[in-house]
Amino acid sequence: MNPGYLYLAVAIVAEVIATSALKHSEGFTRLGPSLVVAAGYGIAFYCLSLVMKTVPIGVAYAIWSGAGIVLIALIGWLVLKQSLDLPAVLGMGLIVAGVAVIQLFSRASGH
Protein backbone atom coordinates (compact mmCIF):
# COMPACT_ATOMS: atom_id res chain seq x y z
CA MET A 1 0.00 0.00 0.00
CA ASN A 2 1.15 3.49 -0.83
CA PRO A 3 2.29 5.20 2.43
CA GLY A 4 0.80 8.44 1.12
CA TYR A 5 -2.65 7.10 1.93
CA LEU A 6 -1.69 6.70 5.60
CA TYR A 7 -0.58 10.34 5.67
CA LEU A 8 -3.82 11.25 3.92
CA ALA A 9 -5.86 9.52 6.63
CA VAL A 10 -3.94 11.41 9.33
CA ALA A 11 -4.43 14.67 7.42
CA ILE A 12 -8.17 14.07 7.15
CA VAL A 13 -8.57 13.25 10.84
CA ALA A 14 -6.50 16.30 11.87
CA GLU A 15 -8.53 18.55 9.57
CA VAL A 16 -11.83 17.20 10.90
CA ILE A 17 -10.67 17.76 14.50
CA ALA A 18 -9.54 21.29 13.65
CA THR A 19 -12.78 22.13 11.86
CA SER A 20 -14.83 20.76 14.76
CA ALA A 21 -12.81 22.88 17.21
CA LEU A 22 -13.30 25.93 14.99
CA LYS A 23 -16.96 26.09 16.01
CA HIS A 24 -15.97 25.99 19.69
CA SER A 25 -13.26 28.65 19.30
CA GLU A 26 -16.04 31.27 19.05
CA GLY A 27 -14.19 33.40 16.52
CA PHE A 28 -10.80 32.61 18.09
CA THR A 29 -11.87 34.18 21.40
CA ARG A 30 -11.36 30.93 23.36
CA LEU A 31 -7.72 29.89 23.71
CA GLY A 32 -8.06 26.09 24.07
CA PRO A 33 -10.18 25.44 20.98
CA SER A 34 -8.16 28.04 19.04
CA LEU A 35 -4.94 26.14 19.78
CA VAL A 36 -6.60 22.88 18.66
CA VAL A 37 -7.60 24.59 15.40
CA ALA A 38 -4.07 25.85 14.74
CA ALA A 39 -2.42 22.54 15.63
CA GLY A 40 -4.98 20.49 13.70
CA TYR A 41 -4.66 22.49 10.51
CA GLY A 42 -0.87 22.57 10.85
CA ILE A 43 -0.73 18.78 11.13
CA ALA A 44 -3.28 18.37 8.35
CA PHE A 45 -1.41 20.51 5.84
CA TYR A 46 1.98 19.07 6.76
CA CYS A 47 0.66 15.53 6.21
CA LEU A 48 -1.07 16.62 3.00
CA SER A 49 2.28 17.94 1.74
CA LEU A 50 3.73 14.45 2.32
CA VAL A 51 0.78 12.89 0.48
CA MET A 52 1.57 14.95 -2.61
CA LYS A 53 4.88 13.10 -3.00
CA THR A 54 3.17 9.83 -3.93
CA VAL A 55 -0.54 10.45 -4.59
CA PRO A 56 -1.81 12.48 -7.57
CA ILE A 57 -3.09 15.85 -6.38
CA GLY A 58 -6.58 15.44 -7.88
CA VAL A 59 -7.07 12.06 -6.25
CA ALA A 60 -5.71 13.24 -2.90
CA TYR A 61 -7.95 16.30 -2.91
CA ALA A 62 -11.03 14.31 -3.91
CA ILE A 63 -10.49 11.92 -1.01
CA TRP A 64 -9.57 14.74 1.41
CA SER A 65 -12.59 16.89 0.61
CA GLY A 66 -15.08 14.04 0.27
CA ALA A 67 -14.09 12.38 3.54
CA GLY A 68 -13.97 15.75 5.29
CA ILE A 69 -17.48 16.70 4.14
CA VAL A 70 -18.97 13.40 5.26
CA LEU A 71 -17.13 13.26 8.59
CA ILE A 72 -17.96 16.87 9.52
CA ALA A 73 -21.61 16.29 8.61
CA LEU A 74 -21.65 13.16 10.80
CA ILE A 75 -20.09 15.05 13.71
CA GLY A 76 -22.64 17.82 13.25
CA TRP A 77 -25.43 15.26 13.33
CA LEU A 78 -24.14 13.04 16.15
CA VAL A 79 -22.44 15.55 18.44
CA LEU A 80 -24.02 18.91 17.68
CA LYS A 81 -27.51 17.47 17.02
CA GLN A 82 -27.77 19.21 13.65
CA SER A 83 -30.28 17.69 11.28
CA LEU A 84 -29.50 16.02 7.96
CA ASP A 85 -32.33 15.80 5.47
CA LEU A 86 -32.66 13.26 2.68
CA PRO A 87 -31.11 15.47 -0.04
CA ALA A 88 -28.05 16.07 2.19
CA VAL A 89 -27.64 12.35 2.83
CA LEU A 90 -28.09 11.54 -0.86
CA GLY A 91 -25.57 14.22 -1.85
CA MET A 92 -23.00 12.87 0.57
CA GLY A 93 -23.68 9.37 -0.75
CA LEU A 94 -22.87 10.64 -4.24
CA ILE A 95 -19.63 12.16 -2.96
CA VAL A 96 -18.61 8.85 -1.38
CA ALA A 97 -19.56 7.02 -4.58
CA GLY A 98 -17.47 9.44 -6.64
CA VAL A 99 -14.39 8.91 -4.48
CA ALA A 100 -14.93 5.14 -4.64
CA VAL A 101 -15.13 5.24 -8.45
CA ILE A 102 -11.85 7.17 -8.59
CA GLN A 103 -10.13 4.73 -6.25
CA LEU A 104 -11.47 1.55 -7.81
CA PHE A 105 -11.55 2.32 -11.52
CA SER A 106 -9.40 5.33 -12.41
CA ARG A 107 -5.82 5.00 -13.53
CA ALA A 108 -5.32 8.49 -12.10
CA SER A 109 -5.40 7.04 -8.59
CA GLY A 110 -1.92 5.61 -9.07
CA HIS A 111 -2.91 1.93 -8.79
Side-chain angles (χ1 to χ4, degrees):
M1 181 176 165
N2 181 339
Y5 287 102
L6 177 61
Y7 288 121
L8 184 55
V10 172
I12 291 166
V13 169
E15 187 267 334
V16 167
I17 290 169
T19 300
S20 298
L22 192 58
K23 177 164 178 58
H24 299 293
S25 75
E26 296 180 13
F28 292 105
T29 60
R30 296 183 59 218
L31 181 60
S34 298
L35 292 174
V36 171
V37 170
Y41 283 130
I43 291 166
F45 284 107
Y46 173 72
C47 287
L48 190 60
S49 74
L50 298 176
V51 172
M52 297 301 161
K53 293 179 179 181
T54 59
V55 178
I57 191 168
V59 173
Y61 198 75
I63 295 169
W64 159 285
S65 59
I69 289 167
V70 171
L71 290 172
I72 288 296
L74 286 173
I75 289 170
W77 179 60
L78 293 170
V79 177
L80 302 174
K81 306 301 181 206
Q82 297 172 348
S83 64
L84 289 174
D85 59 9
L86 183 59
V89 172
L90 290 174
M92 285 184 278
L94 290 171
I95 291 168
V96 170
V99 171
V101 166
I102 290 169
Q103 281 300 106
L104 295 173
F105 303 110
S106 175
R107 282 184 250 140
S109 69
H111 293 261

